[in-house]
Amino acid sequence: MDLTSIKDPSFLKEMDIPELKKLSKEIRRFLIETLSKTGGHIGPNLGVVELTLALHKCFNSPKDKLLWDVGHQSYVHKILTGRADQFDTLRQYKGLSGFPKRNESMHDVWETGHSSTSLSAAMGMAVARDLKGESSYIVPVIGDGALTGGMALEALNHIGHEKSDMIVVLNDNEMSIAPNVGAIHNMLGKLRTDSKYQRAKDELEMFLKKIPAVGGKLAGTAEKLKDTLKYLFVSGIFFEELGFKYLGPVDGHNFDSLLENIQYAKKTKGPVLLHVITKKGKGYEPAEKDKKGAWHGTGQYKIETGDFIKPVDTPPAWSKLVSDTVLKLAKKDPRIVAITPAMTVGSKLEKFQEELPNRVYDVGIAEQHATTFAAGLATQQMKPFLAIYSTFLQRAYDQVVHDVCRQDLNVFFGIDRAGLVGADGETHQGVFDIAFLRHIPNMVLMMPKDENEGQHMVNTAIQYNDGPIAMRFPRGNGLGVPLDDELKKIPIGSWEVLREGSDACILTFGTTIQMSLEAANNLQKLGISVKVVNARFIKPMDEAMLLSILNTGMPILTVEEAILQGGFGSAVIEFAHDHAFYQLVIDRIGIPDQFIEHGSVKDLLQEIGLTAESIVHKIQNILPNKQQKRA
Ligand SMILES: Cc1ncc(C[n+]2csc(CCOP(=O)(O)OP(=O)(O)O)c2C)c(N)n1
Ligand SMILES: CC(=O)[C@@H](O)[C@H](O)COP(=O)(O)O
Ligand SMILES: [Mg+2]
């Protein structure tokens, strides 16, 4: 079948199981071939081919609402809803998003990217349906990893209480990005293997069916017997006690089993939890065998060998540099404990896990818990290092304020993926952390210019015992600068002059330093001398140096790969105003007031105007007139 000819999933209604199986094969081949060129979340999507086909066969999207959580497993859904012909643009600038997007299709009823939101949204849709007297099925598909997210449990609590009609499909492949963790995961494990319960339940139901219809007493006893059986055999009672009808475990690659159980779920009143067992990476051996999360999300790869195609001589990735430096310090300092909310692989903590297994904690997709867990450790004089992506730290804002900063606790936040991340798009851009951290009392926030300064900042953070401290660093690789052998401490709140100049001053840090230096060099050729400062502490700022710059009266341009509102530039303007520099020209370049979609970081920076060229123009525009003429 030509998948690009599919316009909507209605054709599935007429398909029998042999045809569905054939289509599964074609979709798998399409995914493996296409993603070998584009990269993307191949493992998760290979695991949900049959499940997605079965759901679209049994329900009428978009009248029936299919939600995808975490959303990275929605490629098959996108193929079946008329977007196969766009997959060569997957996760590329102005191309197909890697997550559900409402402006892409009416079948994308809920946008995801951050985990564990689907059940809450589904509950909203269910209540709206009921209040409007409409009839439709609400079907959130949530992964076993996403189920460990606190929001999911909050939603289960509410759904079970309201007893709203809803079919929650739990896609259980025993994996988060790496193997899933936690007590809920273990409980699911019992369910996965409890065939004896399944058989006993089936036999009991067969027996009950043989009893002639009798008054409520015997039937009621039989029902109690069935419930007792559940207590005896299966800890999945967790869902039943929450008010869900538990169905499963169901083989998520077997159409007979899937279709029978989905049809049964459709006839069941109230909330249903359909527990589906799938295999992540199904149908492509390298991905199927992956136990470390390497095939969760990939770049390009060679189909025949499963080898990843990496750019040559890639310098050390920032995450590896930071985690390896913490590990080095942890070997000498027993206070240090590393924490990750389900991102062991992304935060490069595998080596830490191997060498100090009892000093690294993967808490599951639980950023709020991770943050307050770190706070609790810090109250006992431990030194917690919380490795967390900027975008996912958003989920723990109150814990940062209420638990860590208010109590002034020694937590070290390693804020990874700070700045534009590229292909994951607007749900993952790490551009808000400066704005949501800068205003919290007691917080220290810094960003290194390169890996060498980065390792020294990690050391500075670990040695810092005066409260919370955060170091933000970008996704991907560093500049490839040599690393000092000895780790140093950087004075808190100290900036560094990178280039002297007297006509204008650029204040910048991290990933926008290089473009600022390039702009200054280009302006030099025009006779304009520009000072460039590494404003590596966003909070506290180097007030002495800033005052000295303000006193020169030269115009200032701040440059940051972060949201402008409430960002670093705002801090400089506030400081200037608070110190009565009312006449001074201070301008800013950064992320404008919009969500930045997916694409290469280079393309996104160009679109935003965060480039050396735009810095040159900005400087020329803020110079006093006499100099502008010269430029
Ligand atoms: C709030 C949040 N934290 C972390 C992540 C990173 N993340 C993306 S997918 C994933 C694992 C999801 O596991 P599961 O839901 O089981 O889906 P699977 O990949 O196994 O299909 C994680 C941790 C995220 N997207 N959102
Ligand atoms: C879907 C999801 O949220 C993660 O898989 C995320 O895409 C990982 O991002 P990195 O590739 O930057 O580790
Ligand atoms: Mg999973």
Side-chain angles (χ1 to χ4, degrees):
M1 178 181 207
D2 172 10
L3 300 179
T4 60
S5 66
I6 298 172
K7 292 304 163 221
D8 73 59
S10 55
F11 74 97
L12 291 168
K13 300 281 183 257
E14 309 313 319
M15 273 202 162
D16 60 24
I17 287 182
E19 289 168 322
L20 288 169
K21 285 181 178 174
K22 185 168 174 293
L23 182 54
S24 303
K25 283 197 178 71
E26 289 162 351
I27 290 174
R28 272 201 175 85
R29 188 167 53 247
F30 174 86
L31 286 172
I32 293 165
E33 287 170 3
T34 308
L35 270 66
S36 71
K37 301 184 201 81
T38 63
H41 289 93
I42 180 76
N45 284 282
L46 287 174
V48 295
V49 174
E50 289 81 10
L51 175 58
T52 309
L53 282 167
L55 289 171
H56 271 297
K57 177 177 177 63
C58 296
F59 294 103
N60 298 310
S61 170
K63 176 177 180 293
D64 298 331
K65 315 284 177 219
L66 295 182
L67 294 81
W68 304 94
D69 192 348
V70 167
H72 60 306
Q73 86 282 51
S74 59
Y75 297 1
V76 182
H77 161 78
K78 292 199 175 196
I79 291 166
L80 296 175
T81 50
R83 289 169 273 181
D85 59 343
Q86 300 171 46
F87 265 76
D88 55 340
T89 69
L90 181 65
R91 296 159 39 96
Q92 295 153 43
Y93 187 62
K94 304 296 179 203
L96 192 66
S97 167
F99 297 98
K101 275 283 169 284
R102 298 188 311 158
N103 64 14
E104 270 183 21
S105 167
M106 61 182 172
H107 294 278
D108 293 9
V109 295
W110 178 249
E111 298 192 5
T112 38
H114 278 197
S115 174
S116 321
T117 66
S118 62
L119 304 189
S120 303
M123 183 59 179
M125 294 174 192
V127 167
R129 171 201 60 199
D130 298 344
L131 290 175
K132 292 194 282 183
E134 292 168 350
S135 73
S136 65
Y137 292 97
I138 311 288
V139 187
V141 181
I142 185 167
D144 56 310
L147 190 68
T148 63
M151 265 190 84
L153 304 177
E154 292 167 16
L156 286 176
N157 180 50
H158 185 206
I159 297 162
H161 173 72
E162 295 290 343
K163 302 227 179 317
S164 304
D165 289 349
M166 183 185 301
I167 299 171
V168 175
V169 179
L170 172 56
N171 172 39
D172 181 3
N173 53 25
E174 302 184 65
M175 294 284 281
S176 184
I177 289 180
N180 202 357
V181 296
I184 290 173
H185 165 67
N186 299 339
M187 178 265 285
L188 292 177
K190 285 195 197 122
L191 276 169
R192 281 183 219 108
T193 53
D194 243 323
S195 53
K196 58 180 181 304
Y197 159 64
Q198 192 63 45
R199 208 171 38 255
K201 191 177 80 164
D202 294 347
E203 280 157 18
L204 177 72
E205 273 164 359
M206 289 300 285
F207 166 69
L208 292 177
K209 276 181 192 143
K210 287 190 185 115
I211 300 174
V214 291
K217 194 169 174 310
L218 184 56
T221 310
E223 205 48 43
K224 281 199 189 72
L225 178 61
K226 208 162 82 172
D227 287 347
T228 310
L229 181 75
K230 282 190 178 171
Y231 271 107
L232 288 177
F233 281 97
V234 69
S235 54
I237 203 70
F238 170 79
F239 298 107
E240 295 269 344
E241 284 303 287
L242 283 179
F244 285 75
K245 168 77 179 165
Y246 172 80
L247 295 181
V250 173
D251 177 350
H253 302 296
N254 178 307
F255 279 113
D256 291 297
S257 178
L258 278 169
L259 297 177
E260 180 200 347
N261 280 279
I262 292 170
Q263 292 305 345
Y264 184 89
K266 286 178 73 171
K267 294 186 206 109
T268 304
K269 290 302 290 166
V272 174
L273 187 112
L274 177 60
H275 183 190
V276 177
I277 311 296
T278 62
K279 177 79 185 152
K280 201 162 183 176
K282 175 90 175 172
Y284 182 56
E285 194 179 352
E288 272 199 40
K289 283 183 172 168
D290 172 38
K291 282 285 167 265
K292 295 190 179 302
W295 285 89
H296 170 80
T298 71
Q300 296 179 327
Y301 56 88
K302 289 190 182 121
I303 297 172
E304 310 68 38
T305 61
D307 293 332
F308 294 129
I309 301 167
K310 273 194 186 314
V312 290
D313 60 48
T314 305
W318 269 104
S319 314
K320 182 165 172 33
L321 174 94
V322 171
S323 294
D324 285 357
T325 305
V326 176
L327 175 57
K328 186 158 87 173
L329 294 164
K331 287 177 180 170
K332 292 178 284 187
D333 182 345
R335 298 176 307 145
I336 298 171
V337 172
I339 303 167
T340 173
M343 303 306 283
T344 307
V345 175
S347 297
K348 293 282 177 283
L349 282 167
E350 300 101 321
K351 197 167 162 222
F352 203 123
Q353 231 167 15
E354 276 159 37
E355 299 189 18
L356 295 174
N358 67 338
R359 300 253 299 278
V360 56
Y361 290 85
D362 175 356
V363 298
I365 307 179
E367 288 82 7
Q368 296 173 335
H369 164 64
T371 303
T372 305
F373 170 45
L377 280 160
T379 62
Q380 306 306 308
Q381 293 71 53
M382 301 301 283
K383 184 70 180 187
F385 161 62
L386 173 54
I388 189 163
Y389 289 19
S390 167
T391 190
F392 301 143
L393 181 61
Q394 292 163 195
R395 188 140 294 172
Y397 175 71
D398 186 52
Q399 286 72 25
V400 174
V401 174
H402 179 271
D403 300 328
V404 177
C405 293
R406 191 183 53 77
Q407 297 186 92
D408 209 7
L409 296 171
N410 294 339
V411 174
F412 170 26
F413 295 88
I415 302 179
D416 198 341
R417 274 56 171 192
L420 295 171
V421 297
D424 273 333
E426 61 206 64
T427 53
H428 285 61
Q429 310 293 9
V431 296
F432 301 107
D433 59 273
I434 293 176
F436 70 72
L437 291 175
R438 175 173 80 78
H439 56 259
I440 308 174
N442 301 334
M443 178 57 87
V444 170
L445 177 59
M446 57 189 173
M447 183 171 199
K449 66 174 186 270
D450 58 34
E451 309 96 294
N452 192 41
E453 189 168 69
Q455 65 165 354
H456 296 318
M457 279 193 174
V458 169
N459 184 48
T460 302
I462 293 290
Q463 309 311 331
Y464 181 73
N465 287 311
D466 291 330
I469 186 165
M471 181 183 99
R472 67 193 304 268
F473 52 97
R475 182 178 196 276
N477 301 315
L479 302 177
V481 299
L483 301 182
D484 296 338
D485 293 335
E486 290 302 311
L487 291 177
K488 299 175 191 141
K489 277 169 70 173
I490 299 174
I492 299 294
S494 66
W495 289 356
E496 176 194 27
V497 175
L498 298 175
R499 187 187 199 280
E500 279 301 353
S502 54
D503 292 332
C505 179
I506 297 175
L507 302 176
T508 188
F509 48 86
T511 51
T512 44
I513 284 178
Q514 295 309 311
M515 67 173 77
S516 299
L517 289 170
E518 183 190 338
N521 291 335
N522 293 341
L523 285 158
Q524 190 65 55
K525 293 169 193 154
L526 301 173
I528 299 164
S529 104
V530 175
K531 186 187 190 90
V532 178
V533 173
N534 171 17
R536 57 194 174 186
F537 282 86
I538 294 131
K539 182 179 188 181
M541 295 194 290
D542 187 330
E543 295 191 358
M545 186 182 291
L546 184 50
L547 276 171
S548 70
I549 293 166
L550 292 167
N551 280 316
T552 66
M554 66 175 146
I556 293 171
L557 176 68
T558 64
V559 184
E560 58 199 295
E561 193 182 314
I563 201 83
L564 279 170
Q565 282 90 322
F568 170 70
S570 303
V572 171
I573 291 171
E574 290 161 13
F575 183 87
H577 188 276
D578 294 348
H579 291 79
F581 291 93
Y582 303 126
Q583 309 308 321
L584 218 58
V585 174
I586 303 175
D587 206 346
R588 303 176 293 163
I589 293 187
I591 309 279
D593 183 16
Q594 65 188 69
F595 289 104
I596 307 301
E597 295 200 339
H598 51 279
S600 74
V601 172
K602 185 169 177 289
D603 286 341
L604 298 175
L605 289 170
Q606 192 65 40
E607 177 188 279
I608 293 162
L610 249 183
T611 60
E613 191 187 351
S614 59
I615 293 170
V616 168
H617 291 149
K618 274 278 187 181
I619 292 287
Q620 288 172 320
N621 292 338
I622 62 175
L623 287 172
N625 284 338
K626 63 178 181 325
Q627 283 167 307
Q628 282 201 28
K629 288 196 191 65
R630 217 176 62 220

